[in-house]
Amino acid sequence: MTKKIYIYPTYTPNRDGSVGNLYIKHFHDAFDTNSNFSLVNRKGKIGITSLFFNLDADLFVIQWVDLIIHKQYGKIQFLFFLMGMITLRILNKKIIWVLHNKSAHKGESKLVDFAMKLMAKYSKIVITHSSEGVTFFNEKYRKKYGEKAHYISHPVYSADIIKSEEIQWDYIIWGGVNERSRVAEFLSFVKDNPFFATKKIVICGYCPDAGYKNKVLQNVTPNITFINEFLPDEKLAHYIARSGCVLFTYNPASVLSSGAMIHSLNFCKPMIAPNVGNFRDMEGAVYCYDTFEDIPLFDYPLTVDSKVISEYIEENTWAKFSGKIFTLIR
């Protein structure tokens, strides 16, 4: 029997066209094209409030509850979120929580903690894209709310392998530049470390915070290129293809999975990342560090196991992802 499914957040083309938001589009498309599901997302543009216009759905997939309070009219949206979850509970609807982060990216928040606790309590199934996500859920919530967490690898966005070009930079850091990315902190470390004196680094990402941008600029040296722009996919691919390694400098405190890592897989480049989340699950493609001091200690030149990447790409398509969810709910 076909299951009606509501997914929050709803994909909106004029808002979610960037690399970082393609996850939302592919997530919707995966269920929309699966004959086991019927996607219902009426009035998706009004945010979490749209839940009340889709109460005929059988399944409610809820993601990024940690971001609701930080949205426009966040407190009002948060109130509708609470009302929505209580309504679904009363109607005995099945809730699936996709757990992306351990905590709020924008600092500690009691409301975010409460939202996550509520999702842990009310959801029937919890999906996470890293083995650490299951461990995190079990350690924090299993005793009270049961063993609900399941690890399903983050699906890939493309099956294509993008060829490397002539190397111009030793490292590329790409994605949003903000406190969570720790780019300024990494550059401060680089400035005083002789290992990086001859290493060329390119940073591709827009920094919306003027104060944090100044911190980054204060630590930019002649061997570092900072492109403070949101780059379209083709231009970004050009920079990645001409870099020796993809480097992630994220704050490990909140990260459970990285979509940027999934995008980077197709370049078959060695990746260097904090020892957390789905980075840790990608042995053979990702070199994990505990502190920045570990990065110069790797055995350079770094290599990548192309078999690990090809198998991951083959096994983790979006079509297979929706199929795995269907298996779980049965």
Side-chain angles (χ1 to χ4, degrees):
M1 183 178 177
T2 302
K3 298 284 187 182
K4 285 186 176 181
I5 186 169
Y6 165 85
I7 299 170
Y8 170 83
T10 297
Y11 172 66
T12 306
N14 62 350
R15 181 193 64 193
D16 302 323
S18 70
V19 163
N21 287 316
L22 283 177
Y23 178 93
I24 301 171
K25 177 186 187 306
H26 285 288
F27 198 106
H28 281 68
D29 289 348
F31 289 91
D32 200 23
T33 55
N34 187 319
S35 60
N36 294 307
F37 298 97
S38 175
L39 184 64
V40 289
N41 275 71
R42 306 177 193 97
K43 298 186 182 293
K45 291 182 179 180
I46 62 174
I48 192 65
T49 313
S50 65
L51 181 151
F52 293 96
F53 294 90
N54 296 278
L55 292 176
D56 58 324
D58 305 301
L59 307 170
F60 290 78
V61 177
I62 309 296
Q63 310 186 62
W64 289 296
V65 296
D66 50 299
L67 300 182
I68 294 173
I69 193 65
H70 301 295
K71 293 180 178 290
Q72 188 177 22
Y73 308 115
K75 289 183 179 179
I76 296 173
Q77 290 207 52
F78 192 82
L79 180 61
F80 277 108
F81 159 72
L82 296 179
M83 293 167 57
M85 293 305 102
I86 293 169
T87 301
L88 296 182
R89 180 77 164 184
I90 292 170
L91 295 175
N92 198 31
K93 297 290 185 176
K94 182 171 283 186
I95 300 171
I96 299 174
W97 179 27
V98 184
L99 173 61
H100 291 286
N101 304 311
K102 289 182 275 190
S103 61
H105 285 328
K106 299 182 179 181
E108 293 184 8
S109 168
K110 290 183 179 180
L111 288 177
V112 169
D113 290 342
F114 178 75
M116 294 179 70
K117 185 177 180 180
L118 192 71
M119 291 304 299
K121 181 178 181 180
Y122 284 0
S123 60
K124 298 291 184 183
I125 296 171
V126 178
I127 304 299
T128 177
H129 293 318
S130 68
S131 55
E132 185 185 358
V134 175
T135 302
F136 167 78
F137 181 90
N138 288 342
E139 289 179 351
K140 194 164 186 178
Y141 303 114
R142 180 175 59 181
K143 190 174 181 180
K144 276 192 173 183
Y145 307 125
E147 196 164 335
K148 305 177 180 181
H150 302 268
Y151 168 33
I152 299 179
S153 296
H154 193 308
V156 296
Y157 296 98
S158 169
D160 298 332
I161 298 298
I162 302 167
K163 291 183 179 179
S164 183
E165 299 179 20
E166 184 178 354
I167 302 301
Q168 185 172 346
W169 295 281
D170 297 287
Y171 303 94
I172 182 171
I173 300 170
W174 72 271
V177 177
N178 47 47
E179 289 187 2
R180 173 184 173 242
S181 70
R182 293 199 305 170
V183 171
E185 290 78 358
F186 175 71
L187 295 185
S188 177
F189 164 74
V190 163
K191 209 172 184 179
D192 298 322
N193 192 294
F195 174 83
F196 291 100
T198 59
K199 305 298 181 186
K200 292 186 176 181
I201 302 170
V202 61
I203 302 160
C204 299
Y206 177 62
C207 182
D209 185 314
Y212 194 79
K213 181 179 74 173
N214 287 334
K215 287 183 180 179
V216 173
L217 292 173
Q218 287 169 10
N219 290 291
V220 169
T221 53
N223 59 319
I224 296 170
T225 303
F226 178 30
I227 303 169
N228 185 27
E229 301 175 31
F230 170 74
L231 297 176
D233 295 356
E234 288 185 7
K235 198 169 182 179
L236 176 61
H238 176 67
Y239 283 103
I240 298 175
R242 295 169 67 188
S243 300
C245 297
V246 181
L247 174 61
F248 298 96
T249 56
Y250 298 158
N251 182 345
S254 63
V255 176
L256 281 177
S257 59
S258 167
M261 184 200 77
I262 302 302
H263 279 286
S264 300
L265 279 177
N266 298 83
F267 293 86
C268 278
K269 300 278 185 179
M271 290 180 273
I272 300 173
N275 189 24
V276 294
N278 61 346
F279 295 125
R280 189 186 293 168
D281 295 321
M282 287 301 298
E283 186 176 354
V286 179
Y287 292 78
C288 291
Y289 62 83
D290 293 315
T291 67
F292 290 150
E293 284 80 5
D294 296 334
I295 298 174
L297 304 179
F298 291 128
D299 187 13
Y300 292 92
L302 304 182
T303 58
V304 62
D305 188 338
S306 58
K307 185 179 179 182
V308 168
I309 292 177
S310 61
E311 287 180 352
Y312 188 98
I313 290 173
E314 183 179 347
E315 292 299 320
N316 296 291
T317 64
W318 282 99
K320 289 182 179 180
F321 175 71
S322 60
K324 292 171 185 175
I325 298 291
F326 184 70
T327 299
L328 278 179
I329 65 175
R330 282 198 303 179

Short mmCIF file of all heavy atoms in Angstrom, two decimals, residues 160-203:
data_model
loop_
_atom_site.label_atom_id
_atom_site.label_comp_id
_atom_site.label_asym_id
_atom_site.label_seq_id
_atom_site.Cartn_x
_atom_site.Cartn_y
_atom_site.Cartn_z
N ASP A 160 29.36 10.56 -11.40
CA ASP A 160 30.51 10.95 -12.22
C ASP A 160 31.79 11.07 -11.41
O ASP A 160 31.76 11.54 -10.27
CB ASP A 160 30.24 12.29 -12.92
CG ASP A 160 29.05 12.22 -13.87
OD1 ASP A 160 28.77 11.13 -14.38
OD2 ASP A 160 28.41 13.27 -14.08
N ILE A 161 32.90 10.65 -11.99
CA ILE A 161 34.21 10.88 -11.41
C ILE A 161 34.85 12.04 -12.18
O ILE A 161 34.99 11.98 -13.40
CB ILE A 161 35.11 9.63 -11.50
CG1 ILE A 161 34.48 8.47 -10.71
CG2 ILE A 161 36.51 9.94 -10.99
CD1 ILE A 161 34.31 8.73 -9.22
N ILE A 162 35.19 13.09 -11.46
CA ILE A 162 35.72 14.30 -12.09
C ILE A 162 37.24 14.24 -12.08
O ILE A 162 37.87 14.06 -11.04
CB ILE A 162 35.22 15.55 -11.35
CG1 ILE A 162 33.69 15.56 -11.37
CG2 ILE A 162 35.77 16.83 -11.99
CD1 ILE A 162 33.06 16.56 -10.43
N LYS A 163 37.82 14.37 -13.26
CA LYS A 163 39.27 14.23 -13.41
C LYS A 163 40.02 15.40 -12.77
O LYS A 163 39.57 16.54 -12.81
CB LYS A 163 39.63 14.14 -14.89
CG LYS A 163 39.17 12.85 -15.56
CD LYS A 163 39.62 12.79 -17.01
CE LYS A 163 39.18 11.49 -17.68
NZ LYS A 163 39.60 11.45 -19.10
N SER A 164 41.18 15.07 -12.23
CA SER A 164 42.04 16.09 -11.65
C SER A 164 42.70 16.91 -12.75
O SER A 164 42.97 16.41 -13.84
CB SER A 164 43.11 15.42 -10.79
OG SER A 164 43.93 16.38 -10.16
N GLU A 165 42.94 18.18 -12.45
CA GLU A 165 43.66 19.06 -13.37
C GLU A 165 45.05 19.34 -12.80
O GLU A 165 45.41 18.82 -11.74
CB GLU A 165 42.86 20.36 -13.56
CG GLU A 165 41.48 20.14 -14.16
CD GLU A 165 40.70 21.44 -14.31
OE1 GLU A 165 41.32 22.53 -14.33
OE2 GLU A 165 39.46 21.37 -14.40
N GLU A 166 45.81 20.14 -13.48
CA GLU A 166 47.14 20.49 -12.99
C GLU A 166 47.03 21.14 -11.62
O GLU A 166 46.27 22.10 -11.44
CB GLU A 166 47.84 21.44 -13.97
CG GLU A 166 49.28 21.77 -13.57
CD GLU A 166 49.97 22.68 -14.58
OE1 GLU A 166 49.35 22.96 -15.63
OE2 GLU A 166 51.10 23.13 -14.28
N ILE A 167 47.76 20.62 -10.65
CA ILE A 167 47.62 21.07 -9.27
C ILE A 167 48.22 22.47 -9.09
O ILE A 167 49.39 22.70 -9.41
CB ILE A 167 48.28 20.07 -8.29
CG1 ILE A 167 47.64 18.69 -8.44
CG2 ILE A 167 48.16 20.59 -6.85
CD1 ILE A 167 46.15 18.64 -8.18
N GLN A 168 47.38 23.36 -8.56
CA GLN A 168 47.82 24.73 -8.28
C GLN A 168 47.88 25.02 -6.78
O GLN A 168 48.67 25.85 -6.34
CB GLN A 168 46.86 25.72 -8.96
CG GLN A 168 47.29 27.18 -8.83
CD GLN A 168 46.43 28.11 -9.69
OE1 GLN A 168 45.70 27.65 -10.56
NE2 GLN A 168 46.52 29.39 -9.43
N TRP A 169 47.03 24.31 -6.01
CA TRP A 169 47.01 24.51 -4.56
C TRP A 169 47.21 23.17 -3.85
O TRP A 169 46.77 22.13 -4.34
CB TRP A 169 45.68 25.12 -4.11
CG TRP A 169 45.46 26.50 -4.64
CD1 TRP A 169 45.99 27.68 -4.17
CD2 TRP A 169 44.67 26.87 -5.78
NE1 TRP A 169 45.57 28.74 -4.92
CE2 TRP A 169 44.76 28.28 -5.92
CE3 TRP A 169 43.90 26.16 -6.69
CZ2 TRP A 169 44.09 28.97 -6.93
CZ3 TRP A 169 43.24 26.84 -7.69
CH2 TRP A 169 43.34 28.22 -7.80
N ASP A 170 47.86 23.20 -2.71
CA ASP A 170 48.04 21.99 -1.91
C ASP A 170 46.74 21.60 -1.21
O ASP A 170 46.44 20.41 -1.08
CB ASP A 170 49.15 22.20 -0.88
CG ASP A 170 50.49 22.44 -1.53
OD1 ASP A 170 51.06 21.48 -2.06
OD2 ASP A 170 50.97 23.60 -1.53
N TYR A 171 46.00 22.60 -0.76
CA TYR A 171 44.76 22.35 -0.02
C TYR A 171 43.67 23.29 -0.51
O TYR A 171 43.94 24.46 -0.81
CB TYR A 171 44.94 22.61 1.48
CG TYR A 171 46.03 21.80 2.14
CD1 TYR A 171 47.31 22.32 2.29
CD2 TYR A 171 45.78 20.53 2.66
CE1 TYR A 171 48.32 21.60 2.91
CE2 TYR A 171 46.78 19.79 3.28
CZ TYR A 171 48.05 20.34 3.40
OH TYR A 171 49.03 19.62 4.02
N ILE A 172 42.44 22.79 -0.52
CA ILE A 172 41.27 23.64 -0.73
C ILE A 172 40.34 23.47 0.46
O ILE A 172 40.09 22.36 0.92
CB ILE A 172 40.53 23.32 -2.05
CG1 ILE A 172 39.34 24.29 -2.22
CG2 ILE A 172 40.07 21.87 -2.12
CD1 ILE A 172 38.66 24.21 -3.57
N ILE A 173 39.86 24.60 0.97
CA ILE A 173 38.80 24.62 1.98
C ILE A 173 37.60 25.26 1.30
O ILE A 173 37.70 26.38 0.79
CB ILE A 173 39.22 25.46 3.21
CG1 ILE A 173 40.47 24.88 3.85
CG2 ILE A 173 38.08 25.54 4.22
CD1 ILE A 173 41.08 25.77 4.93
N TRP A 174 36.48 24.57 1.24
CA TRP A 174 35.33 25.16 0.56
C TRP A 174 34.05 25.01 1.39
O TRP A 174 33.94 24.15 2.24
CB TRP A 174 35.15 24.56 -0.83
CG TRP A 174 34.65 23.15 -0.91
CD1 TRP A 174 35.38 22.00 -0.91
CD2 TRP A 174 33.27 22.74 -1.06
NE1 TRP A 174 34.58 20.91 -1.02
CE2 TRP A 174 33.27 21.33 -1.14
CE3 TRP A 174 32.06 23.42 -1.14
CZ2 TRP A 174 32.08 20.59 -1.26
CZ3 TRP A 174 30.88 22.70 -1.29
CH2 TRP A 174 30.91 21.30 -1.34
N GLY A 175 33.12 25.91 1.10
CA GLY A 175 31.86 25.94 1.85
C GLY A 175 31.73 27.25 2.60
O GLY A 175 32.59 28.14 2.50
N GLY A 176 30.67 27.38 3.36
CA GLY A 176 30.44 28.61 4.12
C GLY A 176 31.57 28.91 5.09
O GLY A 176 32.08 28.02 5.77
N VAL A 177 31.97 30.16 5.13
CA VAL A 177 33.04 30.60 6.04
C VAL A 177 32.38 31.28 7.23
O VAL A 177 31.80 32.36 7.11
CB VAL A 177 34.02 31.55 5.33
CG1 VAL A 177 35.08 32.06 6.31
CG2 VAL A 177 34.69 30.85 4.15
N ASN A 178 32.48 30.64 8.38
CA ASN A 178 31.82 31.14 9.59
C ASN A 178 32.48 30.52 10.82
O ASN A 178 33.47 29.79 10.68
CB ASN A 178 30.32 30.81 9.56
CG ASN A 178 30.07 29.36 9.17
OD1 ASN A 178 30.71 28.45 9.69
ND2 ASN A 178 29.16 29.14 8.22
N GLU A 179 31.95 30.80 11.98
CA GLU A 179 32.57 30.29 13.21
C GLU A 179 32.57 28.76 13.24
O GLU A 179 33.49 28.14 13.76
CB GLU A 179 31.84 30.85 14.43
CG GLU A 179 32.10 32.33 14.65
CD GLU A 179 31.52 32.84 15.96
OE1 GLU A 179 30.95 32.02 16.71
OE2 GLU A 179 31.65 34.05 16.23
N ARG A 180 31.53 28.15 12.66
CA ARG A 180 31.46 26.70 12.63
C ARG A 180 32.58 26.12 11.78
O ARG A 180 33.13 25.06 12.07
CB ARG A 180 30.11 26.26 12.08
CG ARG A 180 29.99 24.76 11.85
CD ARG A 180 28.65 24.41 11.21
NE ARG A 180 28.60 23.01 10.84
CZ ARG A 180 28.46 22.56 9.60
NH1 ARG A 180 28.36 23.40 8.59
NH2 ARG A 180 28.42 21.26 9.34
N SER A 181 32.95 26.82 10.70
CA SER A 181 33.98 26.30 9.79
C SER A 181 35.39 26.40 10.37
O SER A 181 36.29 25.71 9.92
CB SER A 181 33.94 27.06 8.46
OG SER A 181 34.40 28.39 8.63
N ARG A 182 35.59 27.29 11.32
CA ARG A 182 36.89 27.48 12.00
C ARG A 182 38.02 27.83 11.02
O ARG A 182 39.18 27.54 11.28
CB ARG A 182 37.29 26.24 12.80
CG ARG A 182 36.42 25.94 13.99
CD ARG A 182 37.11 25.02 14.97
NE ARG A 182 37.57 23.79 14.33
CZ ARG A 182 38.37 22.89 14.90
NH1 ARG A 182 38.83 23.09 16.11
NH2 ARG A 182 38.72 21.79 14.26
N VAL A 183 37.68 28.49 9.93
CA VAL A 183 38.71 28.85 8.96
C VAL A 183 39.71 29.83 9.55
O VAL A 183 40.93 29.67 9.40
CB VAL A 183 38.07 29.45 7.68
CG1 VAL A 183 39.14 30.04 6.77
CG2 VAL A 183 37.27 28.39 6.93
N ALA A 184 39.21 30.85 10.25
CA ALA A 184 40.12 31.84 10.86
C ALA A 184 41.04 31.17 11.87
O ALA A 184 42.24 31.48 11.94
CB ALA A 184 39.31 32.95 11.52
N GLU A 185 40.49 30.26 12.66
CA GLU A 185 41.29 29.58 13.67
C GLU A 185 42.37 28.71 13.01
O GLU A 185 43.50 28.64 13.50
CB GLU A 185 40.38 28.71 14.56
CG GLU A 185 39.45 29.49 15.48
CD GLU A 185 38.23 30.07 14.77
OE1 GLU A 185 38.09 29.90 13.54
OE2 GLU A 185 37.41 30.71 15.45
N PHE A 186 42.00 28.06 11.91
CA PHE A 186 42.98 27.24 11.20
C PHE A 186 44.09 28.11 10.61
O PHE A 186 45.28 27.78 10.71
CB PHE A 186 42.32 26.43 10.09
CG PHE A 186 43.30 25.66 9.25
CD1 PHE A 186 43.96 24.57 9.75
CD2 PHE A 186 43.57 26.06 7.94
CE1 PHE A 186 44.88 23.86 8.99
CE2 PHE A 186 44.50 25.38 7.17
CZ PHE A 186 45.15 24.27 7.69
N LEU A 187 43.73 29.24 10.00
CA LEU A 187 44.73 30.12 9.41
C LEU A 187 45.65 30.71 10.46
O LEU A 187 46.84 30.92 10.21
CB LEU A 187 44.05 31.23 8.62
CG LEU A 187 43.26 30.80 7.38
CD1 LEU A 187 42.75 32.00 6.62
CD2 LEU A 187 44.09 29.90 6.47
N SER A 188 45.12 30.95 11.64
CA SER A 188 45.96 31.43 12.75
C SER A 188 47.00 30.37 13.11
O SER A 188 48.16 30.69 13.39
CB SER A 188 45.08 31.76 13.95
OG SER A 188 45.86 32.16 15.05
N PHE A 189 46.58 29.11 13.11
CA PHE A 189 47.50 28.01 13.37
C PHE A 189 48.56 27.90 12.26
O PHE A 189 49.75 27.73 12.52
CB PHE A 189 46.70 26.70 13.48
CG PHE A 189 47.53 25.46 13.36
CD1 PHE A 189 48.35 25.05 14.40
CD2 PHE A 189 47.49 24.69 12.20
CE1 PHE A 189 49.12 23.90 14.30
CE2 PHE A 189 48.26 23.54 12.08
CZ PHE A 189 49.07 23.15 13.14
N VAL A 190 48.11 28.02 11.01
CA VAL A 190 48.99 27.92 9.85
C VAL A 190 50.08 28.98 9.89
O VAL A 190 51.25 28.73 9.55
CB VAL A 190 48.16 28.03 8.55
CG1 VAL A 190 49.06 28.34 7.34
CG2 VAL A 190 47.37 26.76 8.31
N LYS A 191 49.69 30.18 10.30
CA LYS A 191 50.60 31.34 10.30
C LYS A 191 51.87 31.08 11.09
O LYS A 191 52.96 31.57 10.75
CB LYS A 191 49.86 32.55 10.87
CG LYS A 191 50.32 33.88 10.36
CD LYS A 191 49.36 34.95 10.85
CE LYS A 191 49.72 36.31 10.28
NZ LYS A 191 48.78 37.36 10.75
N ASP A 192 51.74 30.29 12.16
CA ASP A 192 52.88 30.05 13.05
C ASP A 192 53.48 28.66 12.90
O ASP A 192 54.30 28.24 13.71
CB ASP A 192 52.44 30.26 14.51
CG ASP A 192 51.99 31.68 14.78
OD1 ASP A 192 52.60 32.61 14.22
OD2 ASP A 192 51.01 31.86 15.53
N ASN A 193 53.06 27.92 11.86
CA ASN A 193 53.55 26.56 11.69
C ASN A 193 54.44 26.48 10.44
O ASN A 193 53.97 26.71 9.33
CB ASN A 193 52.38 25.58 11.56
CG ASN A 193 52.82 24.14 11.66
OD1 ASN A 193 53.54 23.65 10.81
ND2 ASN A 193 52.39 23.46 12.72
N PRO A 194 55.71 26.14 10.60
CA PRO A 194 56.64 26.14 9.46
C PRO A 194 56.26 25.15 8.36
O PRO A 194 56.63 25.34 7.20
CB PRO A 194 57.98 25.75 10.10
CG PRO A 194 57.63 25.13 11.42
CD PRO A 194 56.38 25.79 11.87
N PHE A 195 55.50 24.08 8.70
CA PHE A 195 55.09 23.10 7.70
C PHE A 195 54.30 23.76 6.57
O PHE A 195 54.42 23.38 5.40
CB PHE A 195 54.24 22.00 8.35
CG PHE A 195 53.65 21.02 7.38
CD1 PHE A 195 54.38 19.94 6.91
CD2 PHE A 195 52.34 21.18 6.93
CE1 PHE A 195 53.83 19.04 6.01
CE2 PHE A 195 51.77 20.27 6.03
CZ PHE A 195 52.52 19.21 5.57
N PHE A 196 53.50 24.76 6.91
CA PHE A 196 52.61 25.38 5.93
C PHE A 196 53.24 26.59 5.23
O PHE A 196 52.60 27.20 4.38
CB PHE A 196 51.31 25.82 6.61
CG PHE A 196 50.44 24.67 7.03
CD1 PHE A 196 50.43 24.23 8.35
CD2 PHE A 196 49.63 24.02 6.11
CE1 PHE A 196 49.62 23.17 8.74
CE2 PHE A 196 48.83 22.95 6.49
CZ PHE A 196 48.82 22.52 7.81
N ALA A 197 54.47 26.91 5.57
CA ALA A 197 55.10 28.10 5.00
C ALA A 197 55.17 28.06 3.48
O ALA A 197 55.08 29.10 2.81
CB ALA A 197 56.50 28.28 5.59
N THR A 198 55.31 26.86 2.93
CA THR A 198 55.43 26.73 1.47
C THR A 198 54.18 26.09 0.84
O THR A 198 54.17 25.78 -0.35
CB THR A 198 56.65 25.87 1.11
OG1 THR A 198 56.52 24.58 1.71
CG2 THR A 198 57.94 26.53 1.58
N LYS A 199 53.16 25.87 1.65
CA LYS A 199 51.94 25.23 1.15
C LYS A 199 50.96 26.29 0.64
O LYS A 199 50.74 27.31 1.29
CB LYS A 199 51.27 24.40 2.25
CG LYS A 199 52.15 23.36 2.91
CD LYS A 199 52.64 22.32 1.92
CE LYS A 199 53.51 21.27 2.62
NZ LYS A 199 54.10 20.33 1.68
N LYS A 200 50.40 26.02 -0.51
CA LYS A 200 49.41 26.93 -1.07
C LYS A 200 48.00 26.45 -0.71
O LYS A 200 47.66 25.29 -0.89
CB LYS A 200 49.56 27.02 -2.59
CG LYS A 200 50.85 27.71 -3.03
CD LYS A 200 50.88 27.90 -4.53
CE LYS A 200 52.13 28.68 -4.95
NZ LYS A 200 52.16 28.88 -6.43
N ILE A 201 47.22 27.39 -0.19
CA ILE A 201 45.87 27.07 0.28
C ILE A 201 44.88 28.01 -0.40
O ILE A 201 45.10 29.22 -0.45
CB ILE A 201 45.76 27.24 1.82
CG1 ILE A 201 46.77 26.33 2.53
CG2 ILE A 201 44.34 26.95 2.30
CD1 ILE A 201 46.90 26.60 4.02
N VAL A 202 43.78 27.45 -0.92
CA VAL A 202 42.71 28.28 -1.48
C VAL A 202 41.45 28.05 -0.65
O VAL A 202 41.10 26.91 -0.31
CB VAL A 202 42.47 27.98 -2.97
CG1 VAL A 202 42.04 26.54 -3.21
CG2 VAL A 202 41.43 28.94 -3.54
N ILE A 203 40.80 29.13 -0.29
CA ILE A 203 39.56 29.08 0.49
C ILE A 203 38.44 29.61 -0.40
O ILE A 203 38.48 30.77 -0.83
CB ILE A 203 39.67 29.93 1.77
CG1 ILE A 203 40.85 29.44 2.63
CG2 ILE A 203 38.37 29.89 2.56
CD1 ILE A 203 41.33 30.46 3.63
#
